[in-house]
Amino acid sequence: MSPLQSTPSAKLVRTPVSDLPRYYLDYAATTPLDPRVLEATTPYLTGFQANPNSLHTSGREAFNALEEARHGVCESLGAHDPSEVIFTSGGTESDNASITGIMAARKSGKPAHVIVSAIEHHAVLEPARRLSAMGHKVTYLKPGRDGLITPEMLASACTPDTALVSIMYANNEMGAVQNIHDLAAVAHEHGALFHTDAVQALGKCPMGLEELGVDAASFSIHKIYGPKGVGILYLRRGTPFVTQMPGGGQESGLRSGTQNVAGAKAAAAALVLAENGRDAENARLRSLQTRLVEGLLATSSRVRLVVDPREHPDHYLPNIIDITVDGCESETMILRLDSKGFEVAAASACSAGSLEPSHVLVALGIPRDTAFGSLRISLGRQTTEQTIDAFLDAFPSAIR
Ligand code: PLP
């Protein structure tokens, strides 16, 4: 057990998650497993589980459990048909499969035009970079200083050759939420398909996929209090797609590999919990976010918000606060806060050993020097007012 886990302040945890560190404020990176998700999953983890593709009785039982989970996911995500739901290993796989699989299905062998936003996760940017290496033209569409991409911005980037547009629903660093419905409509008007990385939006933003009108979407279950290594790829019926995982033909030939029935069950359970409590939890998080933002701004004039979620709350996630602190480096702040038991993140690639500032902050026009002093604080179900106040007490010593 880590020293953090043995402190008496574990009392601050709102619902019991016994091994959560004392002041965990990195929910955008991952969330703790909800005990109710574990309970729903346990029968499929313990005891013998047959291969859901086997024809015998045990195999058919496993298949039925898998399909029941697929129906549940379809309903929670507002998809039209369970066949549009493909289980994957996470957000990264779903993003890669969408970008690469849709482009591989193009009938014409001619290079095409692809638009991705400049603030995408690397799970979208990297496959886009590969498309460019293959000869396709890739436009990296920058948002405004507020982190938002308007339909007009997208329309002016589209060309008659645009085959695919990928714009994330909610950003993982500064929390901007895009108007996916209208952006997808613009892509379609220009004859392009539309994918959205909805990993951070899941459980926070309305998810009626059929109504949103997207052709493909990516999800990750560990961001909504489910296990890691479980994801969903939504492919609207009729979306041209060539599998990136050929093999035994599972998932209707769209993603081969013996399915993770327990993971699928966990996804269905985590989604029901996230959707049922969404409005109340969003309101609770929003008030914690405002408390934190106001406390941080009052601490020092060196603290600046990357975007201000208070201005247009509908355009920003309620659980992410991204700041920069003049004269302080992210890593120093993270380590100082960590030594006091607060676990936060930097909105930069420094975790990967890179000396580059966050591409998201740079895309917003934030100077590189300022971007090196970024800090992302992300809240979740176990965050309380006391957690925020304790963080605000500790913060001045981290930026001294
Ligand atoms: N997309 C976004 C926006 C994310 O925040 C993440 C994870 O941080 C991913 C994709 C990758 O998801 P996974 O960790 O399930 O591969």
PDB file of all heavy atoms in Angstrom, residues 36-45 49 61-73 87 221 227 230 260-272:
ATOM      1  N   ARG A  36     -19.894  -1.058  -8.435  1.00  0.00           N
ATOM      2  CA  ARG A  36     -21.096  -1.632  -9.063  1.00  0.00           C
ATOM      3  C   ARG A  36     -20.768  -2.210 -10.446  1.00  0.00           C
ATOM      4  O   ARG A  36     -21.389  -3.178 -10.883  1.00  0.00           O
ATOM      5  CB  ARG A  36     -22.183  -0.552  -9.184  1.00  0.00           C
ATOM      6  CG  ARG A  36     -22.722  -0.120  -7.823  1.00  0.00           C
ATOM      7  CD  ARG A  36     -23.508   1.173  -7.909  1.00  0.00           C
ATOM      8  NE  ARG A  36     -22.655   2.309  -8.272  1.00  0.00           N
ATOM      9  CZ  ARG A  36     -23.095   3.563  -8.377  1.00  0.00           C
ATOM     10  NH1 ARG A  36     -24.371   3.835  -8.166  1.00  0.00           N
ATOM     11  NH2 ARG A  36     -22.265   4.540  -8.697  1.00  0.00           N
ATOM     12  N   VAL A  37     -19.773  -1.617 -11.109  1.00  0.00           N
ATOM     13  CA  VAL A  37     -19.341  -2.170 -12.404  1.00  0.00           C
ATOM     14  C   VAL A  37     -18.636  -3.502 -12.149  1.00  0.00           C
ATOM     15  O   VAL A  37     -18.866  -4.499 -12.848  1.00  0.00           O
ATOM     16  CB  VAL A  37     -18.410  -1.181 -13.144  1.00  0.00           C
ATOM     17  CG1 VAL A  37     -17.860  -1.792 -14.429  1.00  0.00           C
ATOM     18  CG2 VAL A  37     -19.156   0.123 -13.451  1.00  0.00           C
ATOM     19  N   LEU A  38     -17.811  -3.496 -11.113  1.00  0.00           N
ATOM     20  CA  LEU A  38     -17.104  -4.742 -10.766  1.00  0.00           C
ATOM     21  C   LEU A  38     -18.110  -5.853 -10.449  1.00  0.00           C
ATOM     22  O   LEU A  38     -17.975  -6.976 -10.913  1.00  0.00           O
ATOM     23  CB  LEU A  38     -16.177  -4.489  -9.571  1.00  0.00           C
ATOM     24  CG  LEU A  38     -15.389  -5.699  -9.089  1.00  0.00           C
ATOM     25  CD1 LEU A  38     -14.456  -6.225 -10.186  1.00  0.00           C
ATOM     26  CD2 LEU A  38     -14.579  -5.372  -7.834  1.00  0.00           C
ATOM     27  N   GLU A  39     -19.151  -5.488  -9.697  1.00  0.00           N
ATOM     28  CA  GLU A  39     -20.157  -6.482  -9.309  1.00  0.00           C
ATOM     29  C   GLU A  39     -20.847  -7.061 -10.549  1.00  0.00           C
ATOM     30  O   GLU A  39     -21.046  -8.273 -10.650  1.00  0.00           O
ATOM     31  CB  GLU A  39     -21.181  -5.794  -8.403  1.00  0.00           C
ATOM     32  CG  GLU A  39     -22.013  -6.758  -7.582  1.00  0.00           C
ATOM     33  CD  GLU A  39     -23.063  -5.987  -6.782  1.00  0.00           C
ATOM     34  OE1 GLU A  39     -22.700  -5.002  -6.104  1.00  0.00           O
ATOM     35  OE2 GLU A  39     -24.245  -6.368  -6.875  1.00  0.00           O
ATOM     36  N   ALA A  40     -21.176  -6.189 -11.496  1.00  0.00           N
ATOM     37  CA  ALA A  40     -21.859  -6.658 -12.713  1.00  0.00           C
ATOM     38  C   ALA A  40     -20.938  -7.516 -13.584  1.00  0.00           C
ATOM     39  O   ALA A  40     -21.402  -8.321 -14.390  1.00  0.00           O
ATOM     40  CB  ALA A  40     -22.353  -5.452 -13.517  1.00  0.00           C
ATOM     41  N   THR A  41     -19.636  -7.336 -13.395  1.00  0.00           N
ATOM     42  CA  THR A  41     -18.657  -7.997 -14.262  1.00  0.00           C
ATOM     43  C   THR A  41     -18.158  -9.312 -13.668  1.00  0.00           C
ATOM     44  O   THR A  41     -17.786 -10.233 -14.401  1.00  0.00           O
ATOM     45  CB  THR A  41     -17.447  -7.047 -14.474  1.00  0.00           C
ATOM     46  OG1 THR A  41     -17.942  -5.748 -14.798  1.00  0.00           O
ATOM     47  CG2 THR A  41     -16.549  -7.503 -15.593  1.00  0.00           C
ATOM     48  N   THR A  42     -18.151  -9.358 -12.330  1.00  0.00           N
ATOM     49  CA  THR A  42     -17.520 -10.492 -11.629  1.00  0.00           C
ATOM     50  C   THR A  42     -17.960 -11.871 -12.137  1.00  0.00           C
ATOM     51  O   THR A  42     -17.116 -12.739 -12.363  1.00  0.00           O
ATOM     52  CB  THR A  42     -17.730 -10.348 -10.104  1.00  0.00           C
ATOM     53  OG1 THR A  42     -17.163  -9.098  -9.729  1.00  0.00           O
ATOM     54  CG2 THR A  42     -17.051 -11.471  -9.328  1.00  0.00           C
ATOM     55  N   PRO A  43     -19.264 -12.089 -12.372  1.00  0.00           N
ATOM     56  CA  PRO A  43     -19.647 -13.442 -12.826  1.00  0.00           C
ATOM     57  C   PRO A  43     -18.939 -13.848 -14.125  1.00  0.00           C
ATOM     58  O   PRO A  43     -18.787 -15.035 -14.393  1.00  0.00           O
ATOM     59  CB  PRO A  43     -21.160 -13.323 -13.058  1.00  0.00           C
ATOM     60  CG  PRO A  43     -21.599 -12.129 -12.282  1.00  0.00           C
ATOM     61  CD  PRO A  43     -20.420 -11.200 -12.201  1.00  0.00           C
ATOM     62  N   TYR A  44     -18.511 -12.869 -14.911  1.00  0.00           N
ATOM     63  CA  TYR A  44     -17.868 -13.188 -16.192  1.00  0.00           C
ATOM     64  C   TYR A  44     -16.346 -13.253 -16.082  1.00  0.00           C
ATOM     65  O   TYR A  44     -15.660 -13.524 -17.058  1.00  0.00           O
ATOM     66  CB  TYR A  44     -18.299 -12.156 -17.256  1.00  0.00           C
ATOM     67  CG  TYR A  44     -19.793 -12.136 -17.387  1.00  0.00           C
ATOM     68  CD1 TYR A  44     -20.555 -11.248 -16.629  1.00  0.00           C
ATOM     69  CD2 TYR A  44     -20.446 -13.069 -18.183  1.00  0.00           C
ATOM     70  CE1 TYR A  44     -21.940 -11.268 -16.689  1.00  0.00           C
ATOM     71  CE2 TYR A  44     -21.827 -13.099 -18.251  1.00  0.00           C
ATOM     72  CZ  TYR A  44     -22.564 -12.193 -17.499  1.00  0.00           C
ATOM     73  OH  TYR A  44     -23.931 -12.229 -17.560  1.00  0.00           O
ATOM     74  N   LEU A  45     -15.856 -12.942 -14.863  1.00  0.00           N
ATOM     75  CA  LEU A  45     -14.407 -13.023 -14.642  1.00  0.00           C
ATOM     76  C   LEU A  45     -14.041 -14.265 -13.861  1.00  0.00           C
ATOM     77  O   LEU A  45     -12.941 -14.785 -13.976  1.00  0.00           O
ATOM     78  CB  LEU A  45     -13.925 -11.793 -13.845  1.00  0.00           C
ATOM     79  CG  LEU A  45     -13.872 -10.467 -14.589  1.00  0.00           C
ATOM     80  CD1 LEU A  45     -13.651  -9.327 -13.613  1.00  0.00           C
ATOM     81  CD2 LEU A  45     -12.775 -10.498 -15.637  1.00  0.00           C
ATOM     82  N   GLN A  49     -15.369 -19.328 -18.481  1.00  0.00           N
ATOM     83  CA  GLN A  49     -16.094 -18.618 -19.534  1.00  0.00           C
ATOM     84  C   GLN A  49     -15.687 -19.212 -20.870  1.00  0.00           C
ATOM     85  O   GLN A  49     -14.506 -19.227 -21.211  1.00  0.00           O
ATOM     86  CB  GLN A  49     -15.727 -17.129 -19.514  1.00  0.00           C
ATOM     87  CG  GLN A  49     -16.518 -16.312 -18.513  1.00  0.00           C
ATOM     88  CD  GLN A  49     -18.010 -16.389 -18.763  1.00  0.00           C
ATOM     89  OE1 GLN A  49     -18.482 -16.170 -19.870  1.00  0.00           O
ATOM     90  NE2 GLN A  49     -18.752 -16.735 -17.730  1.00  0.00           N
ATOM     91  N   GLU A  61     -23.901 -19.514 -24.360  1.00  0.00           N
ATOM     92  CA  GLU A  61     -24.181 -18.677 -23.172  1.00  0.00           C
ATOM     93  C   GLU A  61     -23.303 -17.421 -23.191  1.00  0.00           C
ATOM     94  O   GLU A  61     -23.760 -16.319 -22.926  1.00  0.00           O
ATOM     95  CB  GLU A  61     -23.913 -19.479 -21.888  1.00  0.00           C
ATOM     96  CG  GLU A  61     -25.103 -20.318 -21.479  1.00  0.00           C
ATOM     97  CD  GLU A  61     -24.750 -21.324 -20.385  1.00  0.00           C
ATOM     98  OE1 GLU A  61     -23.678 -21.191 -19.750  1.00  0.00           O
ATOM     99  OE2 GLU A  61     -25.561 -22.244 -20.198  1.00  0.00           O
ATOM    100  N   ALA A  62     -22.018 -17.630 -23.491  1.00  0.00           N
ATOM    101  CA  ALA A  62     -21.099 -16.487 -23.544  1.00  0.00           C
ATOM    102  C   ALA A  62     -21.523 -15.527 -24.661  1.00  0.00           C
ATOM    103  O   ALA A  62     -21.503 -14.305 -24.494  1.00  0.00           O
ATOM    104  CB  ALA A  62     -19.665 -16.973 -23.775  1.00  0.00           C
ATOM    105  N   PHE A  63     -21.944 -16.086 -25.798  1.00  0.00           N
ATOM    106  CA  PHE A  63     -22.396 -15.263 -26.918  1.00  0.00           C
ATOM    107  C   PHE A  63     -23.614 -14.424 -26.508  1.00  0.00           C
ATOM    108  O   PHE A  63     -23.695 -13.220 -26.799  1.00  0.00           O
ATOM    109  CB  PHE A  63     -22.747 -16.167 -28.112  1.00  0.00           C
ATOM    110  CG  PHE A  63     -23.310 -15.426 -29.283  1.00  0.00           C
ATOM    111  CD1 PHE A  63     -22.469 -14.794 -30.198  1.00  0.00           C
ATOM    112  CD2 PHE A  63     -24.696 -15.335 -29.475  1.00  0.00           C
ATOM    113  CE1 PHE A  63     -22.988 -14.084 -31.275  1.00  0.00           C
ATOM    114  CE2 PHE A  63     -25.207 -14.619 -30.555  1.00  0.00           C
ATOM    115  CZ  PHE A  63     -24.358 -14.000 -31.452  1.00  0.00           C
ATOM    116  N   ASN A  64     -24.553 -15.080 -25.797  1.00  0.00           N
ATOM    117  CA  ASN A  64     -25.757 -14.346 -25.377  1.00  0.00           C
ATOM    118  C   ASN A  64     -25.393 -13.197 -24.440  1.00  0.00           C
ATOM    119  O   ASN A  64     -25.959 -12.111 -24.527  1.00  0.00           O
ATOM    120  CB  ASN A  64     -26.751 -15.292 -24.690  1.00  0.00           C
ATOM    121  CG  ASN A  64     -27.373 -16.247 -25.694  1.00  0.00           C
ATOM    122  OD1 ASN A  64     -27.330 -15.991 -26.906  1.00  0.00           O
ATOM    123  ND2 ASN A  64     -27.936 -17.355 -25.212  1.00  0.00           N
ATOM    124  N   ALA A  65     -24.429 -13.460 -23.533  1.00  0.00           N
ATOM    125  CA  ALA A  65     -24.003 -12.396 -22.598  1.00  0.00           C
ATOM    126  C   ALA A  65     -23.393 -11.234 -23.389  1.00  0.00           C
ATOM    127  O   ALA A  65     -23.664 -10.060 -23.111  1.00  0.00           O
ATOM    128  CB  ALA A  65     -23.000 -12.955 -21.599  1.00  0.00           C
ATOM    129  N   LEU A  66     -22.595 -11.575 -24.385  1.00  0.00           N
ATOM    130  CA  LEU A  66     -21.942 -10.539 -25.207  1.00  0.00           C
ATOM    131  C   LEU A  66     -22.988  -9.707 -25.951  1.00  0.00           C
ATOM    132  O   LEU A  66     -22.933  -8.467 -25.967  1.00  0.00           O
ATOM    133  CB  LEU A  66     -20.994 -11.219 -26.202  1.00  0.00           C
ATOM    134  CG  LEU A  66     -20.232 -10.315 -27.154  1.00  0.00           C
ATOM    135  CD1 LEU A  66     -19.188  -9.494 -26.397  1.00  0.00           C
ATOM    136  CD2 LEU A  66     -19.537 -11.152 -28.243  1.00  0.00           C
ATOM    137  N   GLU A  67     -23.953 -10.405 -26.534  1.00  0.00           N
ATOM    138  CA  GLU A  67     -24.965  -9.679 -27.321  1.00  0.00           C
ATOM    139  C   GLU A  67     -25.876  -8.840 -26.427  1.00  0.00           C
ATOM    140  O   GLU A  67     -26.328  -7.763 -26.827  1.00  0.00           O
ATOM    141  CB  GLU A  67     -25.773 -10.662 -28.185  1.00  0.00           C
ATOM    142  CG  GLU A  67     -24.946 -11.295 -29.288  1.00  0.00           C
ATOM    143  CD  GLU A  67     -24.079 -10.291 -30.068  1.00  0.00           C
ATOM    144  OE1 GLU A  67     -24.625  -9.320 -30.616  1.00  0.00           O
ATOM    145  OE2 GLU A  67     -22.841 -10.458 -30.095  1.00  0.00           O
ATOM    146  N   GLU A  68     -26.116  -9.343 -25.215  1.00  0.00           N
ATOM    147  CA  GLU A  68     -26.918  -8.558 -24.262  1.00  0.00           C
ATOM    148  C   GLU A  68     -26.176  -7.253 -23.950  1.00  0.00           C
ATOM    149  O   GLU A  68     -26.769  -6.175 -23.920  1.00  0.00           O
ATOM    150  CB  GLU A  68     -27.072  -9.380 -22.977  1.00  0.00           C
ATOM    151  CG  GLU A  68     -28.260  -9.024 -22.135  1.00  0.00           C
ATOM    152  CD  GLU A  68     -28.320  -9.977 -20.958  1.00  0.00           C
ATOM    153  OE1 GLU A  68     -27.643  -9.701 -19.941  1.00  0.00           O
ATOM    154  OE2 GLU A  68     -29.014 -11.007 -21.070  1.00  0.00           O
ATOM    155  N   ALA A  69     -24.858  -7.363 -23.753  1.00  0.00           N
ATOM    156  CA  ALA A  69     -24.045  -6.161 -23.484  1.00  0.00           C
ATOM    157  C   ALA A  69     -24.088  -5.222 -24.679  1.00  0.00           C
ATOM    158  O   ALA A  69     -24.232  -4.009 -24.539  1.00  0.00           O
ATOM    159  CB  ALA A  69     -22.604  -6.573 -23.177  1.00  0.00           C
ATOM    160  N   ARG A  70     -24.015  -5.777 -25.878  1.00  0.00           N
ATOM    161  CA  ARG A  70     -24.023  -4.943 -27.090  1.00  0.00           C
ATOM    162  C   ARG A  70     -25.361  -4.170 -27.202  1.00  0.00           C
ATOM    163  O   ARG A  70     -25.381  -2.997 -27.534  1.00  0.00           O
ATOM    164  CB  ARG A  70     -23.825  -5.833 -28.333  1.00  0.00           C
ATOM    165  CG  ARG A  70     -23.398  -5.045 -29.564  1.00  0.00           C
ATOM    166  CD  ARG A  70     -23.327  -5.924 -30.821  1.00  0.00           C
ATOM    167  NE  ARG A  70     -22.605  -7.161 -30.668  1.00  0.00           N
ATOM    168  CZ  ARG A  70     -21.273  -7.277 -30.729  1.00  0.00           C
ATOM    169  NH1 ARG A  70     -20.536  -6.221 -30.946  1.00  0.00           N
ATOM    170  NH2 ARG A  70     -20.693  -8.459 -30.578  1.00  0.00           N
ATOM    171  N   HIS A  71     -26.464  -4.866 -26.888  1.00  0.00           N
ATOM    172  CA  HIS A  71     -27.769  -4.198 -26.912  1.00  0.00           C
ATOM    173  C   HIS A  71     -27.801  -3.058 -25.896  1.00  0.00           C
ATOM    174  O   HIS A  71     -28.310  -1.973 -26.171  1.00  0.00           O
ATOM    175  CB  HIS A  71     -28.889  -5.194 -26.595  1.00  0.00           C
ATOM    176  CG  HIS A  71     -29.375  -5.924 -27.810  1.00  0.00           C
ATOM    177  ND1 HIS A  71     -28.695  -7.003 -28.357  1.00  0.00           N
ATOM    178  CD2 HIS A  71     -30.459  -5.719 -28.602  1.00  0.00           C
ATOM    179  CE1 HIS A  71     -29.345  -7.422 -29.427  1.00  0.00           C
ATOM    180  NE2 HIS A  71     -30.416  -6.666 -29.599  1.00  0.00           N
ATOM    181  N   GLY A  72     -27.250  -3.316 -24.706  1.00  0.00           N
ATOM    182  CA  GLY A  72     -27.239  -2.299 -23.652  1.00  0.00           C
ATOM    183  C   GLY A  72     -26.436  -1.079 -24.083  1.00  0.00           C
ATOM    184  O   GLY A  72     -26.865   0.071 -23.915  1.00  0.00           O
ATOM    185  N   VAL A  73     -25.267  -1.327 -24.663  1.00  0.00           N
ATOM    186  CA  VAL A  73     -24.400  -0.225 -25.112  1.00  0.00           C
ATOM    187  C   VAL A  73     -25.122   0.573 -26.206  1.00  0.00           C
ATOM    188  O   VAL A  73     -25.139   1.807 -26.201  1.00  0.00           O
ATOM    189  CB  VAL A  73     -23.047  -0.760 -25.628  1.00  0.00           C
ATOM    190  CG1 VAL A  73     -22.253   0.334 -26.336  1.00  0.00           C
ATOM    191  CG2 VAL A  73     -22.235  -1.356 -24.477  1.00  0.00           C
ATOM    192  N   PHE A  87     -16.905  -3.934 -30.133  1.00  0.00           N
ATOM    193  CA  PHE A  87     -16.061  -3.864 -28.935  1.00  0.00           C
ATOM    194  C   PHE A  87     -14.590  -3.876 -29.345  1.00  0.00           C
ATOM    195  O   PHE A  87     -14.178  -4.656 -30.214  1.00  0.00           O
ATOM    196  CB  PHE A  87     -16.377  -5.032 -27.989  1.00  0.00           C
ATOM    197  CG  PHE A  87     -17.729  -4.885 -27.341  1.00  0.00           C
ATOM    198  CD1 PHE A  87     -18.789  -5.722 -27.684  1.00  0.00           C
ATOM    199  CD2 PHE A  87     -17.956  -3.878 -26.411  1.00  0.00           C
ATOM    200  CE1 PHE A  87     -20.045  -5.566 -27.108  1.00  0.00           C
ATOM    201  CE2 PHE A  87     -19.208  -3.706 -25.822  1.00  0.00           C
ATOM    202  CZ  PHE A  87     -20.254  -4.552 -26.174  1.00  0.00           C
ATOM    203  N   ILE A 221     -13.800   2.902 -21.959  1.00  0.00           N
ATOM    204  CA  ILE A 221     -14.603   2.647 -20.763  1.00  0.00           C
ATOM    205  C   ILE A 221     -13.880   3.010 -19.465  1.00  0.00           C
ATOM    206  O   ILE A 221     -14.509   3.285 -18.447  1.00  0.00           O
ATOM    207  CB  ILE A 221     -15.093   1.165 -20.788  1.00  0.00           C
ATOM    208  CG1 ILE A 221     -15.988   0.941 -22.023  1.00  0.00           C
ATOM    209  CG2 ILE A 221     -15.848   0.775 -19.525  1.00  0.00           C
ATOM    210  CD1 ILE A 221     -17.181   1.892 -22.146  1.00  0.00           C
ATOM    211  N   PRO A 227     -13.265  -0.722 -16.427  1.00  0.00           N
ATOM    212  CA  PRO A 227     -11.879  -1.206 -16.506  1.00  0.00           C
ATOM    213  C   PRO A 227     -11.107  -0.642 -17.703  1.00  0.00           C
ATOM    214  O   PRO A 227     -11.708  -0.231 -18.702  1.00  0.00           O
ATOM    215  CB  PRO A 227     -12.061  -2.721 -16.658  1.00  0.00           C
ATOM    216  CG  PRO A 227     -13.412  -2.883 -17.262  1.00  0.00           C
ATOM    217  CD  PRO A 227     -14.253  -1.730 -16.798  1.00  0.00           C
ATOM    218  N   VAL A 230     -10.847  -1.567 -22.454  1.00  0.00           N
ATOM    219  CA  VAL A 230     -12.147  -1.849 -23.074  1.00  0.00           C
ATOM    220  C   VAL A 230     -12.603  -0.584 -23.799  1.00  0.00           C
ATOM    221  O   VAL A 230     -12.620   0.495 -23.206  1.00  0.00           O
ATOM    222  CB  VAL A 230     -13.223  -2.240 -22.020  1.00  0.00           C
ATOM    223  CG1 VAL A 230     -14.558  -2.543 -22.704  1.00  0.00           C
ATOM    224  CG2 VAL A 230     -12.759  -3.427 -21.189  1.00  0.00           C
ATOM    225  N   ASN A 260     -13.885  -9.978 -25.391  1.00  0.00           N
ATOM    226  CA  ASN A 260     -13.742  -9.862 -23.943  1.00  0.00           C
ATOM    227  C   ASN A 260     -15.153  -9.683 -23.364  1.00  0.00           C
ATOM    228  O   ASN A 260     -15.650  -8.565 -23.254  1.00  0.00           O
ATOM    229  CB  ASN A 260     -12.842  -8.647 -23.666  1.00  0.00           C
ATOM    230  CG  ASN A 260     -12.721  -8.303 -22.209  1.00  0.00           C
ATOM    231  OD1 ASN A 260     -13.316  -8.958 -21.346  1.00  0.00           O
ATOM    232  ND2 ASN A 260     -11.951  -7.267 -21.924  1.00  0.00           N
ATOM    233  N   VAL A 261     -15.798 -10.808 -23.043  1.00  0.00           N
ATOM    234  CA  VAL A 261     -17.201 -10.733 -22.601  1.00  0.00           C
ATOM    235  C   VAL A 261     -17.311  -9.942 -21.295  1.00  0.00           C
ATOM    236  O   VAL A 261     -18.202  -9.102 -21.131  1.00  0.00           O
ATOM    237  CB  VAL A 261     -17.799 -12.153 -22.449  1.00  0.00           C
ATOM    238  CG1 VAL A 261     -19.234 -12.078 -21.952  1.00  0.00           C
ATOM    239  CG2 VAL A 261     -17.743 -12.900 -23.777  1.00  0.00           C
ATOM    240  N   ALA A 262     -16.380 -10.172 -20.379  1.00  0.00           N
ATOM    241  CA  ALA A 262     -16.418  -9.439 -19.104  1.00  0.00           C
ATOM    242  C   ALA A 262     -16.265  -7.935 -19.366  1.00  0.00           C
ATOM    243  O   ALA A 262     -16.957  -7.108 -18.758  1.00  0.00           O
ATOM    244  CB  ALA A 262     -15.310  -9.940 -18.180  1.00  0.00           C
ATOM    245  N   GLY A 263     -15.375  -7.586 -20.275  1.00  0.00           N
ATOM    246  CA  GLY A 263     -15.171  -6.170 -20.619  1.00  0.00           C
ATOM    247  C   GLY A 263     -16.427  -5.566 -21.234  1.00  0.00           C
ATOM    248  O   GLY A 263     -16.796  -4.424 -20.934  1.00  0.00           O
ATOM    249  N   ALA A 264     -17.092  -6.336 -22.087  1.00  0.00           N
ATOM    250  CA  ALA A 264     -18.324  -5.846 -22.722  1.00  0.00           C
ATOM    251  C   ALA A 264     -19.405  -5.627 -21.662  1.00  0.00           C
ATOM    252  O   ALA A 264     -20.134  -4.629 -21.682  1.00  0.00           O
ATOM    253  CB  ALA A 264     -18.794  -6.841 -23.781  1.00  0.00           C
ATOM    254  N   LYS A 265     -19.491  -6.567 -20.722  1.00  0.00           N
ATOM    255  CA  LYS A 265     -20.476  -6.430 -19.625  1.00  0.00           C
ATOM    256  C   LYS A 265     -20.153  -5.201 -18.781  1.00  0.00           C
ATOM    257  O   LYS A 265     -21.050  -4.467 -18.354  1.00  0.00           O
ATOM    258  CB  LYS A 265     -20.449  -7.686 -18.743  1.00  0.00           C
ATOM    259  CG  LYS A 265     -21.186  -8.836 -19.348  1.00  0.00           C
ATOM    260  CD  LYS A 265     -22.687  -8.558 -19.260  1.00  0.00           C
ATOM    261  CE  LYS A 265     -23.509  -9.702 -19.786  1.00  0.00           C
ATOM    262  NZ  LYS A 265     -24.939  -9.339 -19.892  1.00  0.00           N
ATOM    263  N   ALA A 266     -18.858  -4.988 -18.533  1.00  0.00           N
ATOM    264  CA  ALA A 266     -18.438  -3.823 -17.742  1.00  0.00           C
ATOM    265  C   ALA A 266     -18.807  -2.539 -18.481  1.00  0.00           C
ATOM    266  O   ALA A 266     -19.276  -1.565 -17.868  1.00  0.00           O
ATOM    267  CB  ALA A 266     -16.934  -3.881 -17.487  1.00  0.00           C
ATOM    268  N   ALA A 267     -18.619  -2.534 -19.804  1.00  0.00           N
ATOM    269  CA  ALA A 267     -18.948  -1.347 -20.593  1.00  0.00           C
ATOM    270  C   ALA A 267     -20.434  -1.028 -20.476  1.00  0.00           C
ATOM    271  O   ALA A 267     -20.824   0.127 -20.239  1.00  0.00           O
ATOM    272  CB  ALA A 267     -18.569  -1.581 -22.065  1.00  0.00           C
ATOM    273  N   ALA A 268     -21.258  -2.056 -20.615  1.00  0.00           N
ATOM    274  CA  ALA A 268     -22.710  -1.834 -20.548  1.00  0.00           C
ATOM    275  C   ALA A 268     -23.098  -1.305 -19.167  1.00  0.00           C
ATOM    276  O   ALA A 268     -23.890  -0.357 -19.049  1.00  0.00           O
ATOM    277  CB  ALA A 268     -23.441  -3.137 -20.866  1.00  0.00           C
ATOM    278  N   ALA A 269     -22.504  -1.893 -18.116  1.00  0.00           N
ATOM    279  CA  ALA A 269     -22.857  -1.476 -16.745  1.00  0.00           C
ATOM    280  C   ALA A 269     -22.369  -0.054 -16.475  1.00  0.00           C
ATOM    281  O   ALA A 269     -23.106   0.770 -15.924  1.00  0.00           O
ATOM    282  CB  ALA A 269     -22.248  -2.456 -15.739  1.00  0.00           C
ATOM    283  N   ALA A 270     -21.132   0.257 -16.870  1.00  0.00           N
ATOM    284  CA  ALA A 270     -20.573   1.590 -16.616  1.00  0.00           C
ATOM    285  C   ALA A 270     -21.379   2.656 -17.359  1.00  0.00           C
ATOM    286  O   ALA A 270     -21.608   3.750 -16.837  1.00  0.00           O
ATOM    287  CB  ALA A 270     -19.108   1.636 -17.050  1.00  0.00           C
ATOM    288  N   LEU A 271     -21.833   2.314 -18.556  1.00  0.00           N
ATOM    289  CA  LEU A 271     -22.605   3.276 -19.353  1.00  0.00           C
ATOM    290  C   LEU A 271     -23.952   3.582 -18.717  1.00  0.00           C
ATOM    291  O   LEU A 271     -24.386   4.736 -18.690  1.00  0.00           O
ATOM    292  CB  LEU A 271     -22.814   2.715 -20.762  1.00  0.00           C
ATOM    293  CG  LEU A 271     -21.777   3.152 -21.771  1.00  0.00           C
ATOM    294  CD1 LEU A 271     -21.861   2.311 -23.031  1.00  0.00           C
ATOM    295  CD2 LEU A 271     -21.977   4.625 -22.131  1.00  0.00           C
ATOM    296  N   VAL A 272     -24.622   2.548 -18.218  1.00  0.00           N
ATOM    297  CA  VAL A 272     -25.924   2.780 -17.565  1.00  0.00           C
ATOM    298  C   VAL A 272     -25.736   3.714 -16.380  1.00  0.00           C
ATOM    299  O   VAL A 272     -26.473   4.692 -16.213  1.00  0.00           O
ATOM    300  CB  VAL A 272     -26.550   1.435 -17.118  1.00  0.00           C
ATOM    301  CG1 VAL A 272     -27.720   1.667 -16.169  1.00  0.00           C
ATOM    302  CG2 VAL A 272     -27.004   0.637 -18.334  1.00  0.00           C
TER     303      VAL A 272
END
